[in-house]
Amino acid sequence: MAFGADELRVLRRALAHALHPTPLDDEDVQDCLRLAGSVDEAVREAGRMRAFLLADLARYRDALPGSAAGYLELLQDALAAGYDPRPEDLAALRTLRGTPVGAALLARCQTLAEHSVRARLAGRYVTPAPRARLLALPGGRTCEADEPKPRPAPPKPNPAPPPADRPVPKPSEVFPPRRRPAAPPPEERAAG
């Protein structure tokens, strides 16, 4: 992620304020909120790009062996972006290990997969939590559009039912037996 000169100035002011809290003017608050919105949009775009890359990788993997060159290139890009190779990637690379690039990627992916499995088994595998949206700045200032909405009160438990004045009805009283419909009278035919 790259910041522009204006964004770096806003970031520098926000960091200075975090280190030495002072009252912020409205312009600084709006600048910080715009920067937070830009960062949120960049994170969403990175997620979309990652999903696109992984979908493309799956399409190339499904089209093997004819798409070997494209698959190997996409897999290298995905690994550089932090992708953990899946079992189907390892199986595909085993079929392509006759090429130098395929053999090198197979060794790299086996190492990454082994480290990933060991980390999960050790309980150290932590998925990154989504970044929380900036709602307020120190000093109690918030953006009007980002005001948190009040939470509804939790429902109160139902009070105990009042004691019954009459006995509970029997099922036959609530659901009377079904009566068969009366057969319609036979129609009289007129001789004609």
Side-chain angles (χ1 to χ4, degrees):
M1 180 182 300
F3 290 106
D6 291 336
E7 293 169 328
L8 283 175
R9 277 189 223 103
V10 171
L11 187 58
R12 187 176 299 129
R13 283 194 315 252
L15 290 173
H17 177 72
L19 293 172
H20 305 287
T22 58
L24 289 173
D25 60 357
D26 290 336
E27 184 180 335
D28 286 342
V29 171
Q30 292 304 319
D31 288 344
C32 288
L33 291 173
R34 277 193 294 277
L35 179 62
S38 296
V39 169
D40 287 341
E41 180 59 32
V43 168
R44 283 191 297 272
E45 182 64 25
R48 286 191 292 269
M49 290 299 293
R50 179 177 170 81
F52 176 77
L53 176 67
L54 295 181
D56 221 14
L57 183 66
R59 281 193 295 275
Y60 274 78
R61 184 178 51 236
D62 292 341
L64 286 174
S67 64
Y71 173 71
L72 294 173
E73 184 179 331
L74 282 174
L75 183 59
Q76 287 175 341
D77 292 344
L79 291 174
Y83 174 69
D84 275 339
R86 297 181 178 165
E88 50 268 17
D89 292 313
L90 295 172
L93 286 172
R94 285 186 192 103
T95 64
L96 299 173
R97 66 179 161 213
T99 65
V101 175
L105 273 175
L106 177 61
R108 182 177 175 196
C109 286
Q110 285 175 331
T111 303
L112 288 173
E114 183 179 328
H115 288 300
S116 177
V117 168
R118 286 177 191 256
R120 273 187 249 138
L121 289 175
R124 294 178 296 173
Y125 188 76
V126 178
T127 56
R131 193 174 78 79
R133 179 137 172 83
L134 175 66
L135 294 177
L137 296 172
R141 295 187 149 187
T142 60
C143 177
E144 291 176 14
D146 293 335
E147 287 283 335
K149 295 182 173 104
R151 292 184 180 169
K156 295 180 181 177
N158 292 336
D165 293 338
R166 60 188 183 113
V168 177
K170 296 182 204 171
S172 62
E173 295 173 343
V174 175
F175 304 105
R178 298 175 94 188
R179 302 201 193 299
R180 292 186 183 161
E187 294 182 25
E188 295 181 22
R189 295 186 182 180

